[in-house]
Amino acid sequence: MSFILKSEDDYEDLLGLWSDLEAGLAMVLSHPHSVQQFAARIQQYDRWMQNLIQHDTDVALYLLFQLASHSPAGYSASHALVCGVLCHLLAREVQLPTTERDSLVHATLTMNIAMTGLQDQLANQRSRPTPEQDLAVRSHEGRGADLLRALGITNALWLDTVQQHHQEISLPADLMRVPPPQRLAHMLNVVDRYAAMISPRQSRAGRSATESAKNIVDTPNSQVGQLLVRMVGLYPPGTFVQLDDATVGVVMRRRQDQRPDLAIVLNDKGQLMRPPSLHSSFNGKPAITAALPASRVQEHLNHYLILQLGAHAV
């Protein structure tokens, strides 16, 4: 399903909805004891997220990948939201039962609840973690599950997925033959690592989405990684790419053959294209040669115009 943003106000409204969702999630994760009916609030944010994805998955991914790769501010909530969207899409891809899908996404949104402030701090910290910080990171899964229990969460699958999401799990060939707690924890583990790789820190730039995808696919038990890459693409919406004529594009829409629709945003001299031009890499030249980290493109882009082009590319 796709839609055309009819005006810049439409784009600002859509961006505002994603920003409000992220801000609300940040508040809940930062001050969980101040939230009445914690479980109901997480479920509300899940429904909000699903509604935004339903409008147009490519636009949702575009905004999320831009968000994740450009700013480490409010990293913990941004990361949880990116992972929540990816886990939702994965659950749909493998046709998880609704109860498992809900447990997976709710666990994803709350997986780092025991270290929200620390995660934001580390994203903005140039030095290595201190021993105290390192201990807090290494113990956050169990502390997170305990905190969720204290907040009234009784769903065992949600709690188990949070508690196990950093455990390395040996999988058989068929993901659906794994018991649900291990299956969901493994799915979250892969998505968590992928999203963390593309996101910048003060101590390092984010990797390109393609680098991250190859890293995930090349690890043992890579079935979920392969599904994830097939689903979002080697070049997900919002990813910058280098073309063989020295221009730079940003991906707008996925195509099944990994040759997505692009907006060319920088000319061969590195200058901003006004307006950006539509190009389908399916049609050949210029061809994509590499994905670029978002830090390589510093110019201020008109995302409304880019997404309008993407709507017309359908």
Side-chain angles (χ1 to χ4, degrees), residues 232-258:
V232 300
L234 275 176
Y235 311 104
T239 300
F240 292 105
V241 290
Q242 182 75 62
L243 302 173
D244 62 9
D245 63 353
T247 60
V248 170
V250 61
V251 175
M252 301 175 302
R253 292 204 170 273
R254 299 162 293 163
R255 296 295 181 198
Q256 289 190 351
D257 57 4
Q258 304 290 1

Side-chain angles (χ1 to χ4, degrees), residues 3-11 304 308:
F3 69 106
I4 296 176
L5 297 166
K6 295 177 182 174
S7 70
E8 200 143 2
D9 286 344
D10 286 352
Y11 169 74
Y304 160 63
Q308 261 205 327

